[in-house]
Amino acid sequence: MESGGKLWAGRFGDQRSIDPVMERFNSSISYDKRLCYVDILGSKAYATALFKAGLLDQVECADICHGLATIEDEWRSETFRINPSDEDVHSANERRLKELIGSAGGKLHTGRSRNDQVATDLRLWLRQEIDQSLDGFLVQIIQVLIERAQDEMDILLPGYTHLQRAQPIRWSHYLCSYAWSLWSDWQRLMQLRDRVNVMPLGSGALAGNPFPIDRHYLSDLMGFDSITPNSLLGVSDRDFVVEFLSWASILSSHLSRLAEDLIIYSTKEFNFVTIADAYSTGSSLMPQKRNPDGLELIRAKAGRIFGQMAGFSMVLKGLPSAYNKDLQEDKEALFDVVDNLFCTLQVAAGILSTLKVNAEKTLGALSSDMLATDLAYHLVRRGVPFRDAHATVGKIVAMAENQHKDIAALTLEDLQSISSVFDDPSVTNIWNYEHSVEQYQVTGGTSRRAVQKQIDDLKALLEFRKGSTSTAL
């Protein structure tokens, strides 16, 4: 086949034959067409910068911008026709521009390379996804968590370590723990956004732009915060992609852990929560089954997202300086992770907003042996060193087990047979779950006041976020 339609065809002559398999192997148009709108945005800005530099006259600049607007309309109406010679979205848009306005379209690429063009497009695209979707979806889950925490403050349940019942906590305290994790994820996303929002355009292929392009002006046109300080870095840097994939891995791990908890809590053995029908499925064989498929897929997506991060990191590790074709692998990894995050965040928000908590079951799962630590604290408040108190209560637990009794059923005389410090009948007040959680008054604790402070602090942070993002984005 002839390669005359390729942007690089001049080097090889019009009769060069390309292996069809290599043609497909080299092409990225099947997936990078998602960059079509940001590619047009960047091209309009670059045309304006070329005009400012005196490299386009006013008519040429207007014709280019009008032609690009027409191409954008074609993409939106799905009438844009991709030709076999279109290797990528950049060559497709440029080819179509020259069809629409003639030779003036060939001036748009003056001083520009696909190397700095694609790096710019990818940053524009990711910034757009962060601003328009990821930020909002993530905040929605945090809001659901704190709203439920506010409404369900009275629900108590076992807190677990090693998946063994440990101490009583408030359900609200549990919900806030994940709200805080996701808030940290939001903070990391905003910090990441700053490093995404750096413009490489004007770096050329690797050495820079030989024409008097005002890169700061160009950056302002596209809403970038700054420009890359080195042209080699500008065309080759994909740290922002790896950082985003790493951030997505952390976020999806948090959601996966939450999903695992809720999967366990939704089993018949626990029966703490019921997942809404909208996010569950049945069995093709067993009519009684209620499978938490939404949660299981959230858990699975964490592995997939981490895999994309690890895979693309390995692509980068051995690359020589400047642009290499290996970097074409960045887009499939990035697109796949963003798509899966969108679904994961929306499904997670839906599950959390619709699940039902069985407060009787969570309370019924509490047992007096979970208050053994409280018994040790009782001794500590009476002057016994904690290690001694711990050992004493261990003997009391063993006594209850030997007598096949609940620890709360032991008499004051039983306790005094272990330690004479048990000389106050008020020790029986310990066997109260509400009293237990209320002793944790310190910041971050599970008492009503401490949990309410967490909720209030999270609400204040979301209000601060609302103000800061409306100003910055």
Side-chain angles (χ1 to χ4, degrees):
M1 64 180 289
E2 293 187 351
S3 58
K6 306 295 184 185
L7 298 180
W8 44 263
R11 160 67 177 82
F12 293 93
D14 291 340
Q15 303 304 314
R16 181 176 183 263
S17 178
I18 303 174
D19 186 300
V21 176
M22 175 59 189
E23 178 88 2
R24 294 190 299 273
F25 193 55
N26 186 58
S27 175
S28 60
I29 187 69
S30 62
Y31 51 86
D32 72 13
K33 61 185 178 182
R34 292 179 66 163
L35 300 175
C36 61
Y37 302 121
V38 292
D39 188 69
I40 290 167
L41 172 65
S43 291
K44 286 180 178 178
Y46 194 68
T48 305
L50 288 173
F51 169 67
K52 185 175 185 288
L55 296 167
L56 291 177
D57 61 35
Q58 190 169 9
V59 172
E60 290 170 328
C61 183
D63 285 347
I64 287 173
C65 289
H66 178 74
L68 290 169
T70 299
I71 295 169
E72 182 176 0
D73 289 341
E74 291 178 353
W75 280 111
R76 294 193 185 281
S77 64
E78 300 183 358
T79 59
F80 187 95
R81 296 184 63 181
I82 296 173
N83 286 355
S85 63
D86 296 333
E87 290 181 336
D88 51 44
V89 69
H90 324 295
S91 56
N93 282 341
E94 183 174 337
R95 182 263 308 160
R96 180 60 177 145
L97 180 64
K98 287 188 281 189
E99 291 175 354
L100 290 170
I101 69 170
S103 60
K107 291 188 175 184
L108 177 60
H109 212 55
T110 303
R112 184 174 70 168
S113 165
R114 283 188 294 178
N115 296 355
D116 62 347
Q117 187 178 359
V118 68
T120 302
D121 287 358
L122 204 58
R123 288 175 181 270
L124 283 170
W125 184 86
L126 183 53
R127 184 187 72 188
Q128 177 179 285
E129 298 304 308
I130 290 171
D131 293 350
Q132 295 182 4
S133 300
L134 288 172
D135 169 47
F137 290 154
L138 184 52
V139 168
Q140 181 185 12
I141 296 179
I142 298 172
Q143 288 173 329
V144 169
L145 288 169
I146 61 178
E147 286 170 6
R148 292 202 73 137
Q150 185 71 74
D151 294 341
E152 297 167 338
M153 184 80 76
D154 293 334
I155 299 176
L156 304 183
L157 79 161
Y160 294 85
T161 63
H162 308 277
L163 204 54
Q164 303 294 315
R165 290 183 300 179
Q167 292 177 292
I169 60 171
R170 294 191 184 278
W171 167 250
S172 296
H173 189 55
Y174 167 80
L175 295 176
C176 284
S177 72
Y178 279 103
W180 283 116
S181 287
L182 297 179
W183 174 252
S184 294
D185 292 330
W186 181 86
Q187 289 178 306
R188 279 187 283 267
L189 180 63
M190 292 301 103
Q191 293 160 1
L192 163 63
R193 185 189 184 279
D194 291 340
R195 289 181 286 279
V196 169
N197 204 33
V198 179
M199 188 197 74
L201 198 56
S203 298
L206 77 163
N209 196 310
F211 302 102
I213 297 295
D214 186 339
R215 293 189 69 209
H216 290 286
Y217 170 73
L218 190 54
S219 172
D220 290 342
L221 287 176
M222 290 184 282
F224 284 105
D225 293 330
S226 59
I227 62 175
T228 51
N230 179 285
S231 58
L232 286 171
L233 175 72
V235 298
S236 64
D237 178 30
R238 295 298 187 275
D239 288 357
F240 71 97
V241 175
V242 175
E243 188 175 2
F244 177 82
L245 298 179
S246 178
W247 170 83
S249 296
I250 295 172
L251 168 62
S252 60
S253 292
H254 290 153
L255 295 173
S256 178
R257 293 185 66 190
L258 174 58
E260 174 67 5
D261 282 345
L262 295 179
I263 288 169
I264 293 171
Y265 292 168
S266 68
T267 61
K268 291 294 184 181
E269 288 76 9
F270 278 75
N271 200 20
F272 288 177
V273 300
T274 301
I275 309 303
D277 289 350
Y279 302 99
S280 306
T281 66
S283 166
S284 61
L285 178 65
M286 297 163 284
Q288 83 283 5
K289 290 292 296 299
R290 184 188 186 89
N291 300 326
D293 283 12
L295 291 169
E296 290 173 356
L297 287 171
I298 289 172
R299 190 174 57 186
K301 296 299 183 184
R304 176 172 180 157
I305 288 170
F306 178 84
Q308 293 286 18
M309 184 270 291
F312 185 62
S313 295
M314 290 302 97
V315 169
L316 294 180
K317 80 169 188 64
L319 295 186
S321 180
Y323 182 83
N324 297 270
K325 192 69 170 182
D326 313 52
L327 294 177
Q328 184 167 290
E329 295 295 312
D330 57 5
K331 285 169 281 297
E332 286 188 281
L334 185 60
F335 295 160
D336 182 72
V337 166
V338 168
D339 289 346
N340 279 284
L341 268 187
F342 283 172
C343 293
T344 297
L345 289 167
Q346 291 177 83
V347 169
I351 291 172
L352 289 169
S353 62
T354 57
L355 70 82
K356 294 181 180 179
V357 185
N358 188 338
E360 291 184 2
K361 282 290 185 180
T362 61
L363 183 62
L366 296 173
S367 57
S368 57
D369 61 300
M370 297 175 64
L371 302 179
T373 303
D374 297 54
L375 193 59
Y377 290 159
H378 173 82
L379 294 176
V380 168
R381 291 186 178 100
R382 299 181 67 80
V384 178
F386 178 75
R387 284 302 168 201
D388 294 341
H390 186 280
T392 297
V393 175
K395 295 176 182 177
I396 292 171
V397 171
M399 173 187 282
E401 289 178 349
N402 291 334
Q403 295 182 14
H404 304 289
K405 287 183 178 180
D406 189 287
I407 190 173
L410 294 176
T411 66
L412 184 59
E413 290 74 18
D414 289 330
L415 300 180
Q416 289 172 341
S417 70
I418 300 295
S419 172
S420 61
V421 180
F422 292 111
D423 57 0
D424 185 351
S426 67
V427 68
T428 57
N429 295 332
I430 287 172
W431 313 119
N432 181 288
Y433 302 122
E434 185 70 25
H435 175 271
S436 177
V437 297
E438 279 304 293
Q439 70 185 312
Y440 297 102
Q441 295 283 334
V442 298
T443 300
T446 193
S447 70
R448 185 180 299 273
R449 185 176 69 179
V451 172
Q452 186 62 57
K453 186 178 188 311
Q454 293 181 60
I455 294 170
D456 292 342
D457 288 348
L458 283 163
K459 287 180 178 178
L461 288 170
L462 289 183
E463 282 300 314
F464 169 78
R465 166 258 172 199
K466 189 185 299 182
S468 63
T469 52
S470 64
T471 300
L473 303 188

